[in-house]
Amino acid sequence: MLKNHEKFHSANGKRTILVADDEQINRAILGAILENDFEVLYAENGKEALEILEENREIISVVLLDLMMPVMSGMDLLRHLKEEPELQRIPVIVLTSDQTAEIECLSLGAIDFISKPYPQAGVILARVTRIIELSEDQQIIHSTERDPLTGLYNREYFYRYAEQFDQFHKEMDMDAIVLDVNHFHMINERYGKHCGDDVLRRVGESVRNVVRESGGIVCRRSGDTFMVYCPHREDYRDILENASVSFTEDASSDNRVRLRMGVYSRVDKVLDIERRFDRAKSASDTVRGSFAKTIGFYDSAMLETELYEERLVEDFSAAIRQEQFTVFYQPKFNVRSENPVLSSAEALVRWQHPELGMISPAVFIPLFENNGLIQKLDTYVWQHAAAQIRDWKDRLGVSVPISVNVSRIDMYDPGLVEEFQALLKKYELLPGEFLLEITESAYTQDSAQIISTVKRLRNLGFMIEMDDFGTGYSSLNMISSLPIDALKLDMKFIRDAFRDGKDTRLIELIIDIADYLNVPVIAEGVETEEQLNALRAMGCEIVQGYYFSRPVPAVEFERFLKG
Ligand code: C2E
Ligand code: CA
Ligand code: CA
């Protein structure tokens, strides 16, 4: 590794300077002053200078530029440099006798001036050296504090600058804003990573341009999420509108990226800066998937939720120790024949909190998925489910397969396969008795690793049900190459299909896909006889839902076993 300042040296250890001046005498004077300490390259006009710059962009530390030159003037060269990101970083000192040109040069990106006739050699040397130092320092800062893709601050520096900003503007009302690109992975998939990167760059740039005016700062938080910290504003739409860049050349309105925004307005400065952005992020999540609403605001209701969730996290360990979690079971019936036959049960966890009462997994599962507690909880549920299968076998002499939910986070655990094997061994179960429900969206995230884990599990005889099918974005390509044993149709399809004016086309499509893959479809959330009959007519084999039973405690479930 090069030490920071070393990377700027040319081969002989000196930094390189480009002198661009059409007059031989001026080149000679500057050369005499600089050649002792620097490697000096010369150009006689702007065009030549540009060519030299392009060839030596890595090593040129500074350009001394005359404004009046034939072929291409110094001013034109400055304009050129401004356009090219890679040349932009090279500082330019303008050599001029015309004081009035200074303003224009500055606006074109010149960093300093040396007036003609030239001042003393010592003055020139000192200036040049100083400018080089400054620009190198800035580049070092830049290379560590910026996100390489967008050139925006990275998260760490962003937080630091935001804190600094607060110190100097203690009284100022500030907003924390999070911007997410909707369905960004679709852009990547359809148009390629190159296009995706380009979109992120342009979104970043547009946001920066809007908020810079008001003194705001911007960073890329990760992936397709941006953060903005800016003085409080009343209207946020301009940020959103500017950031909705188009993702193909043809800039008509329907190929603009859709963004959603979360605003935590007039932040409470007592909170850590990160917490403020967590709040903005939560606000953004409230409008996820909504077409009508693109901006979500953090409000007092969300504050209450936040406090409630904190409480749940705090109480988690004790709850596990004291077995406050119970596992409920919901039957799945095979409906191919006239009389439905019990085929398996899904294990669904409940939290019987001593003070807060019964809590639904819809509340705590997403929370525990965010902070990693889910693994402990799932292990707990799997243990109980396995013990339950054993118990029913021993006591009632029946074997009912039980499916457990495997969270996306669990799938990253390198010990997962062994954990399931140990479980089977402990309770002397067959792999076919222990079904695994893995949500479709898990496959879309880091498919390679997940697919290999699924394959290992399946080779060992475990059966995999793809849960929530139709809500993730797995490709047909992927699921057909991936061995699964059932598609579990997400509840929303049934809900939508039977709302007003029955429309079951989507369900039929999914059943088609399942046929093609040669696996059964499990429909969940079936509540009425009408739904049951329609699904059955479409060829759906297995049905789960309130029509048959809600999830119930193990004892209650036994009525399905004795029947
Ligand atoms: P899921 O895996 O999609 O489970 C189905 C959910 O639909 C369950 O909600 C179930 O009670 C509900 N449901 C079943 N039939 C009907 C019906 O006919 N109508 C309606 N309206 N709802 C029905 P529940 O038990 O609240 O679980 C919610 C989610 O929490 C589950 O969705 C699952 O993603 C997660 N979950 C539950 N238990 C566990 C667990 O032990 N581990 C993990 N990782 N996730 C779990
Ligand atoms: Ca499930
Ligand atoms: Ca589901």
Side-chain angles (χ1 to χ4, degrees):
M1 264 278 289
L2 290 174
K3 271 198 244 111
N4 276 332
H5 276 81
E6 280 173 8
K7 75 175 186 189
F8 299 103
H9 290 282
S10 65
N12 61 8
K14 291 181 179 173
R15 286 165 175 75
T16 304
I17 294 181
L18 172 62
V19 171
D21 198 312
D22 59 325
E23 282 183 60
Q24 159 71 35
I25 174 83
N26 286 339
R27 294 201 299 273
I29 296 174
L30 289 172
I33 298 173
L34 298 167
E35 271 178 355
N36 256 339
D37 300 289
F38 300 98
E39 189 74 28
V40 187
L41 305 173
Y42 299 94
E44 294 181 19
N45 59 56
K47 187 162 173 288
E48 224 179 271
L50 186 60
E51 282 162 9
I52 295 176
L53 274 166
E54 275 172 346
E55 240 165 74
N56 302 281
R57 62 180 72 187
E58 299 295 328
I59 57 163
I60 291 179
S61 294
V62 68
V63 181
L64 302 188
L65 181 68
D66 178 28
L67 287 185
M68 310 279 272
M69 290 187 292
V71 190
M72 183 194 275
S73 74
M75 209 69 102
D76 283 339
L77 179 68
L78 276 174
R79 285 194 192 95
H80 238 92
L81 297 185
K82 212 178 168 206
E83 296 297 297
E84 280 205 51
E86 298 208 22
L87 297 180
Q88 239 175 31
R89 63 143 197 100
I90 303 174
V92 177
I93 301 176
V94 164
L95 311 165
T96 181
S97 51
D98 173 11
Q99 247 74 43
T100 58
E102 287 193 9
I103 305 271
E104 193 177 356
C105 291
L106 275 178
S107 76
L108 283 173
I111 198 165
D112 200 3
F113 296 88
I114 293 178
S115 59
K116 290 182 186 175
Y118 294 132
Q120 280 184 330
V123 174
I124 293 183
L125 258 180
R127 276 225 179 133
V128 167
T129 309
R130 180 82 188 121
I131 293 295
I132 291 177
E133 268 173 25
L134 285 173
S135 104
E136 290 180 0
D137 285 352
Q138 197 215 350
Q139 281 173 61
I140 290 164
I141 294 171
H142 210 86
S143 67
T144 49
E145 75 181 11
R146 300 277 166 171
D147 162 37
L149 178 67
T150 58
L152 299 173
Y153 291 127
N154 63 32
R155 189 202 289 232
E156 192 180 311
Y157 275 85
F158 173 81
Y159 286 147
R160 227 186 270 177
Y161 279 112
E163 276 162 0
Q164 234 171 48
F165 190 98
D166 282 350
Q167 273 170 15
F168 290 109
H169 305 85
K170 287 200 168 70
E171 304 303 319
M172 195 181 280
D173 278 339
M174 299 296 290
D175 294 341
I177 302 174
V178 166
L179 271 164
D180 287 293
V181 182
N182 288 328
H183 305 307
F184 178 69
H185 60 97
M186 300 274 272
I187 297 173
N188 261 341
E189 257 163 50
R190 277 185 66 182
Y191 301 98
K193 190 171 176 306
H194 185 73
C195 173
D197 283 354
D198 187 51
V199 164
L200 292 177
R201 251 192 302 268
R202 284 183 297 125
V203 169
E205 197 179 314
S206 316
V207 177
R208 180 166 54 176
N209 288 339
V210 201
V211 304
R212 191 155 46 185
E213 286 161 24
S214 65
I217 52 172
V218 186
C219 90
R220 186 160 74 117
R221 178 181 172 122
S222 63
D224 55 359
T225 304
F226 296 84
M227 299 192 281
V228 175
Y229 193 59
C230 62
H232 172 66
R233 44 167 71 216
E234 290 302 328
D235 193 0
Y236 302 91
R237 279 168 304 183
D238 59 331
I239 300 182
L240 207 56
E241 272 158 27
N242 270 283
S244 306
V245 303
S246 62
F247 50 86
T248 55
E249 295 273 299
D250 156 35
S252 63
S253 63
D254 54 352
N255 60 12
R256 278 154 55 106
V257 294
R258 292 180 53 87
L259 295 133
R260 65 176 185 280
M261 184 189 255
V263 179
Y264 172 32
S265 179
R266 293 205 170 93
V267 300
D268 178 353
K269 293 190 183 173
V270 172
L271 287 178
D272 278 359
I273 191 85
E274 294 179 37
R275 284 286 297 281
R276 299 177 212 167
F277 281 93
D278 288 345
R279 289 187 169 184
K281 178 74 181 152
S282 311
S284 161
D285 288 342
T286 61
V287 293
R288 165 181 246 141
S290 158
F291 267 90
K293 270 190 84 186
T294 46
I295 305 182
F297 289 91
Y298 187 85
D299 56 21
S300 58
M302 292 182 71
L303 174 60
E304 267 175 44
T305 312
E306 194 184 309
L307 296 175
Y308 183 73
E309 290 182 345
E310 267 171 29
R311 169 89 191 268
L312 298 188
V313 171
E314 267 170 35
D315 293 350
F316 177 79
S317 301
I320 291 278
R321 269 197 316 275
Q322 299 166 12
E323 304 239 327
Q324 291 170 13
F325 292 102
T326 21
V327 183
F328 277 29
Y329 298 90
Q330 187 179 34
K332 301 178 194 171
F333 282 93
N334 191 317
V335 296
R336 255 189 320 194
S337 61
E338 193 54 38
N339 286 332
V341 180
L342 181 69
S343 74
S344 63
E346 176 172 6
L348 292 158
V349 69
R350 301 287 179 265
W351 185 352
Q352 186 60 57
H353 193 286
E355 281 150 35
L356 304 172
M358 181 79 104
I359 309 172
S360 151
V363 172
F364 59 80
I365 296 285
L367 176 65
F368 294 160
E369 279 178 340
N370 279 339
N371 58 24
L373 293 178
I374 189 68
Q375 277 192 281
K376 275 213 184 81
L377 178 60
D378 277 342
T379 296
Y380 174 103
V381 173
W382 302 338
Q383 287 283 346
H384 281 72
Q388 191 60 66
I389 304 174
R390 184 75 255 156
D391 171 53
W392 283 333
K393 279 176 106 167
D394 291 347
R395 216 158 32 82
L396 307 175
V398 282
S399 159
V400 211
I402 290 180
S403 64
V404 295
N405 287 287
V406 182
S407 157
R408 180 174 52 80
I409 321 294
D410 302 322
M411 296 300 293
Y412 293 112
D413 178 0
L416 183 73
V417 177
E418 286 68 28
E419 182 174 347
F420 283 132
Q421 282 183 295
L423 207 58
L424 294 189
K425 198 161 164 225
K426 177 170 172 195
Y427 294 100
E428 297 176 46
L429 302 175
L430 303 168
E433 292 176 303
F434 203 69
L435 314 176
L436 307 177
E437 295 193 11
I438 302 173
T439 179
E440 185 198 4
S441 59
Y443 296 89
T444 11
Q445 306 242 329
D446 178 5
S447 33
Q449 155 146 23
I450 300 214
I451 290 171
S452 89
T453 306
V454 169
K455 284 193 169 151
R456 275 180 67 203
L457 286 166
R458 235 182 142 264
N459 286 340
L460 292 166
F462 286 97
M463 310 268 268
I464 313 288
E465 297 179 354
M466 193 183 248
D467 204 358
D468 311 319
F469 186 74
T471 58
Y473 292 94
S474 60
S475 60
L476 185 58
N477 223 349
M478 198 210 82
I479 45 174
S480 58
S481 67
L482 178 81
I484 51 166
D485 301 280
L487 283 191
K488 209 168 174 189
L489 181 65
D490 191 75
M491 227 180 295
K492 103 179 205 293
F493 291 99
I494 309 221
R495 195 121 315 142
D496 292 351
F498 294 90
R499 200 168 279 152
D500 15 70
K502 188 171 141 200
D503 182 356
T504 55
R505 273 175 301 179
L506 281 179
I507 301 182
E508 285 166 50
L509 277 180
I510 292 176
I511 292 179
D512 242 20
I513 294 174
D515 277 349
Y516 166 77
L517 299 173
N518 211 3
V519 296
V521 168
I522 304 172
E524 67 182 335
V526 176
E527 296 181 350
T528 67
E529 184 154 14
E530 184 206 358
Q531 293 170 346
L532 172 65
N533 290 334
L535 285 162
R536 194 187 247 153
M538 285 184 273
C540 172
E541 272 183 51
I542 299 172
V543 167
Q544 173 183 359
Y546 294 175
Y547 174 75
F548 288 113
S549 168
R550 290 181 174 255
V552 293
V555 194
E556 256 180 73
F557 189 84
E558 290 181 11
R559 72 185 159 99
F560 297 109
L561 305 176
K562 293 165 181 162

